[in-house]
Amino acid sequence: MRIETIAIQAGRDIDQQTGAVMPAIHLSTTFVRGNEGEFVYSRSDSPNRRALEQCLTQLEGGAAGVAFGSGMAAMASVFQALRHGDHVVLPDDTYFGVRELVTGLLADWGLQHTMVDMTDLAAVKAAMQPNTKLVWVETPSNPMLKVTDIAAVADIAHNGGAKLGVDGTWATPLLQHSLALGADIAAHSTTKYLGGHSDLTGGVVVVNEEDGFYERIRNVQQIGGAVPSGFDCWLLLRGIRTLPYRMRGHCANAMKVAQFLEDHPAVHTVHYPGLESHPGHEVARRQMDDFGGMLSVQVVGGGEKADAVASRTKIFARATSLGGVESLIEHRAPVEGPTTRTPMDLLRVSVGLEHPDDLIEDLAQALAGNR
Ligand SMILES: *Cc1c(COP(=O)(O)O)cnc(C)c1O
């Protein structure tokens, strides 16, 4: 089956009792013994979550999927599945929540780490240690849109006896097939494009093998308990049904917006992997089916000028997060706090599904104020 068909059919059964074509929402926390699905208690497993996990597993082409109540809970489960004294290699520009988790919380529990520029394969190789159990990649990265060669890093990880995990949130399972490229674990914040409407938080880990490491991730879900509600699973599955068509719009609009910004005198750098000027363009062309709906832009004149642009947009809402149908703009560095590595003059843009000409006109008037 092609991915458009999977997005609509996976995890969807006709209800025999009612004939309902679309699934019911099960909010019950407990289930009588001896039921067909062997459900017991909703923290361990529930009908809507199982359907969602089936769909996400099929979208990624994996062996099993584990759903969580947020993207961070999903990413954290992978690191929590490691042991005291294990070492991980992660990107120096990884999502700031993952960086806080690994360098703060889990460092206190004895997890070791090295941060590298993942686009520098020699640096990745040099960072590998005998106790390295996981290499973590985020591509395209948040918010610098660096593109990492998944297949090349998978080789390095596997040669070192480590697993490769990929945070593919910005690409979605539609545009980038991390497991097929050699990753062992594909993780997503489903809060973003998979949900697609900025009305739920969620996350998922899909593995290529139901091995002992997978069992530990499943254990973190069931015992740790950061599980999504039945309603959130239902809502997310509903969002996924239109993912392939939404992504076409996001990609087409983002390319137009990126091209407009690249030529604008008030802008000095546009980070969008679809542009030939982007350092990761060639790798992105090889490993992605399209370039996504996210871009970052650095404006001339520094942080105050960037902030002023974000304050003047009328269609782009000034807000954090991404991947919804509505366009968002964010002055990123202040949000990430004092440890940020993000340039002060950078605006992160989530290009929505409004008409691209309206989006370009909005950015044009917001940038014009900077002259
Ligand atoms: C948003 C995001 C996360 C965290 O997901 P939440 O759902 O906010 O917990 C992790 N990685 C990337 C790349 C993200 O964009």
Side-chain angles (χ1 to χ4, degrees), residues 69-73 75 95 98 138 140-142 167-170 188-192 200-203 321-322 348:
S70 73
M72 274 312 300
M75 316 280 159
Y95 177 72
V98 171
E138 180 184 316
S141 71
N142 178 359
D167 177 349
T169 300
W170 283 29
H188 297 272
S189 165
T190 54
T191 312
K192 314 295 169 53
L200 64 91
T201 64
S321 200
L322 57 118
R348 194 181 77 176

Side-chain angles (χ1 to χ4, degrees), residues 291-305:
F291 304 106
M294 290 301 298
L295 57 92
S296 288
V297 51
Q298 289 179 258
V299 303
V300 175
E304 275 171 39
K305 292 286 189 188

Side-chain angles (χ1 to χ4, degrees), residues 109-370:
W109 287 83
L111 185 69
Q112 301 173 15
H113 69 272
T114 304
M115 290 195 278
V116 294
D117 176 356
M118 279 289 159
T119 63
D120 179 352
L121 296 175
V124 180
K125 228 177 259 177
M128 297 296 291
Q129 296 180 11
N131 60 338
T132 305
K133 294 287 156 56
L134 177 72
V135 178
W136 188 254
V137 159
E138 180 184 316
T139 185
S141 71
N142 178 359
M144 298 305 291
L145 289 124
K146 279 204 210 165
V147 176
T148 296
D149 187 333
I150 295 173
V153 176
D155 276 347
I156 298 171
H158 295 156
N159 286 336
K163 285 188 180 282
L164 178 68
V166 175
D167 177 349
T169 300
W170 283 29
T172 80
L174 193 85
L175 304 182
Q176 180 172 281
H177 315 287
S178 299
L179 299 180
L181 288 162
D184 306 284
I185 297 151
H188 297 272
S189 165
T190 54
T191 312
K192 314 295 169 53
Y193 289 104
L194 284 149
H197 297 77
S198 305
D199 52 12
L200 64 91
T201 64
V204 69
V205 175
V206 180
V207 297
N208 69 348
E209 201 187 328
E210 292 188 67
D211 58 4
F213 196 74
Y214 157 74
E215 296 296 342
R216 290 175 71 87
I217 291 170
R218 180 65 80 185
N219 220 15
V220 172
Q221 177 204 39
Q222 294 178 330
I223 303 300
V227 293
S229 72
F231 181 62
D232 280 351
C233 292
W234 180 89
L235 209 50
L236 178 50
L237 203 48
R238 184 191 211 273
I240 290 171
R241 302 310 185 200
T242 55
L243 176 73
Y245 285 87
R246 283 188 287 109
M247 288 318 293
R248 282 173 204 178
H250 284 296
C251 293
N253 284 2
M255 183 58 108
K256 286 188 179 146
V257 169
Q259 283 165 343
F260 161 76
L261 290 170
E262 196 176 34
D263 292 335
H264 199 286
V267 164
H268 70 83
T269 311
V270 180
H271 303 270
Y272 184 64
L275 295 176
E276 276 174 32
S277 59
H278 189 277
H281 179 67
E282 279 311 312
V283 177
R285 269 182 47 167
R286 251 189 289 129
Q287 77 181 12
M288 297 175 73
D289 293 348
D290 206 335
F291 304 106
M294 290 301 298
L295 57 92
S296 288
V297 51
Q298 289 179 258
V299 303
V300 175
E304 275 171 39
K305 292 286 189 188
D307 205 70
V309 172
S311 72
R312 280 192 292 260
T313 55
K314 297 193 170 72
I315 295 175
F316 285 85
R318 182 173 199 180
T320 198
S321 200
L322 57 118
V325 292
E326 77 293 349
S327 290
L328 301 177
I329 191 162
E330 179 174 48
H331 186 204
R332 186 69 191 162
V335 178
E336 295 184 348
T339 60
T340 183
R341 304 171 61 112
T342 302
M344 281 308 295
D345 61 4
L346 181 137
L347 292 168
R348 194 181 77 176
V349 180
S350 175
V351 182
L353 298 179
E354 300 92 344
H355 195 286
D357 295 346
D358 289 330
L359 297 179
I360 288 169
E361 282 167 25
D362 191 30
L363 290 170
Q365 66 79 22
L367 285 163
N370 269 7

